Amino acid sequence: MVDYTMKKSVSLVTGASSGLGRNIAKLLCEEGHLVYVTARRKEKLLELKKECSLHSGEIRIIDGDLVDINFRKKLVNRVLNDSGRIDYLINNAGYGKLEALEKISYEDLEGMVVLNFIALQHLCQLVLPLMKKKKSGRIINIASVAAFEPPPYFATYNATKYAVHGFT
């Protein structure tokens, strides 16, 4: 195992099982980062880890649901216990329902708000004190073009991504 305490950057990427999050994690691994990836779909994270095994960095998997406040705390604590720091937090996890507002279940409304915005803010809260203490680190919050050009039938998703933009 590589000792990352004095070497390359330590990154945490949420929503790394597919799309932009997966690609960001892969690029960071190619650049030599120790990359902690999280998502609900462990099998997709395992595929990513296998795909990145020949790169100079390393992928470490912590699967779970960011809607769960306790998982968010455990996630950050595990990264800190394993590596001693978080240099980059990439808040990418999110989802949306393409459906008329009146047809979306309350559970989906709440899930989008919690995952897309509340979890993002909470992860920032958890890592900011550490980054401030060491006077280094970066947080990248992924919003969406939907924050500026909201498509129809995506009201809650659009609103959460607008909130991410405003918060950031």
Side-chain angles (χ1 to χ4, degrees), residues 55-89:
H55 298 308
S56 60
E58 180 184 348
I59 298 284
R60 293 190 185 166
I61 296 169
I62 307 172
D63 63 307
D65 191 348
L66 289 168
V67 169
D68 179 355
I69 187 172
N70 293 316
F71 174 71
R72 295 191 298 265
K73 292 175 185 177
K74 288 177 189 172
L75 172 68
V76 170
N77 285 332
R78 173 141 171 234
V79 175
L80 294 174
N81 288 336
D82 286 358
S83 66
R85 66 185 205 270
I86 298 173
D87 299 306
Y88 296 93
L89 168 62

Side-chain angles (χ1 to χ4, degrees), residues 131-147:
M131 289 179 172
K132 285 183 169 185
K133 184 177 181 181
K134 66 178 195 140
K135 297 183 177 169
S136 68
R138 298 285 183 264
I139 298 172
I140 300 169
N141 295 323
I142 307 295
S144 170
V145 70

Side-chain angles (χ1 to χ4, degrees), residues 15-19 38-46 61 63-64:
S17 62
S18 64
T38 189
R40 291 174 296 134
R41 298 180 296 174
K42 186 174 185 176
E43 68 282 354
K44 294 288 187 183
L45 297 175
L46 289 167
I61 296 169
D63 63 307

Side-chain angles (χ1 to χ4, degrees), residues 7-154:
K7 296 192 179 200
K8 299 288 184 165
S9 296
V10 176
S11 299
L12 171 57
V13 181
T14 69
S17 62
S18 64
L20 189 59
R22 185 180 200 287
N23 290 328
I24 290 170
K26 189 175 177 184
L27 286 170
L28 291 170
C29 189
E30 288 172 2
E31 292 295 317
H33 289 229
L34 169 56
V35 186
Y36 287 86
V37 293
T38 189
R40 291 174 296 134
R41 298 180 296 174
K42 186 174 185 176
E43 68 282 354
K44 294 288 187 183
L45 297 175
L46 289 167
E47 289 172 13
L48 173 64
K49 181 175 180 153
K50 184 178 179 184
E51 192 176 317
C52 293
S53 64
L54 299 177
H55 298 308
S56 60
E58 180 184 348
I59 298 284
R60 293 190 185 166
I61 296 169
I62 307 172
D63 63 307
D65 191 348
L66 289 168
V67 169
D68 179 355
I69 187 172
N70 293 316
F71 174 71
R72 295 191 298 265
K73 292 175 185 177
K74 288 177 189 172
L75 172 68
V76 170
N77 285 332
R78 173 141 171 234
V79 175
L80 294 174
N81 288 336
D82 286 358
S83 66
R85 66 185 205 270
I86 298 173
D87 299 306
Y88 296 93
L89 168 62
I90 318 303
N91 274 317
N92 173 71
Y95 85 99
K97 278 284 203 177
L98 184 62
E99 197 168 10
L101 180 63
E102 67 273 14
K103 293 183 179 180
I104 296 176
S105 70
Y106 176 79
E107 291 75 21
D108 278 325
L109 290 175
E110 184 177 46
M112 281 185 272
V113 170
V114 172
L115 179 61
N116 297 359
F117 190 54
I118 306 273
L120 175 142
Q121 287 186 86
H122 187 219
L123 288 171
C124 289
Q125 279 186 316
L126 293 171
V127 303
L128 269 172
L130 307 161
M131 289 179 172
K132 285 183 169 185
K133 184 177 181 181
K134 66 178 195 140
K135 297 183 177 169
S136 68
R138 298 285 183 264
I139 298 172
I140 300 169
N141 295 323
I142 307 295
S144 170
V145 70
F148 308 102
E149 293 291 329
Y153 301 108
F154 232 28

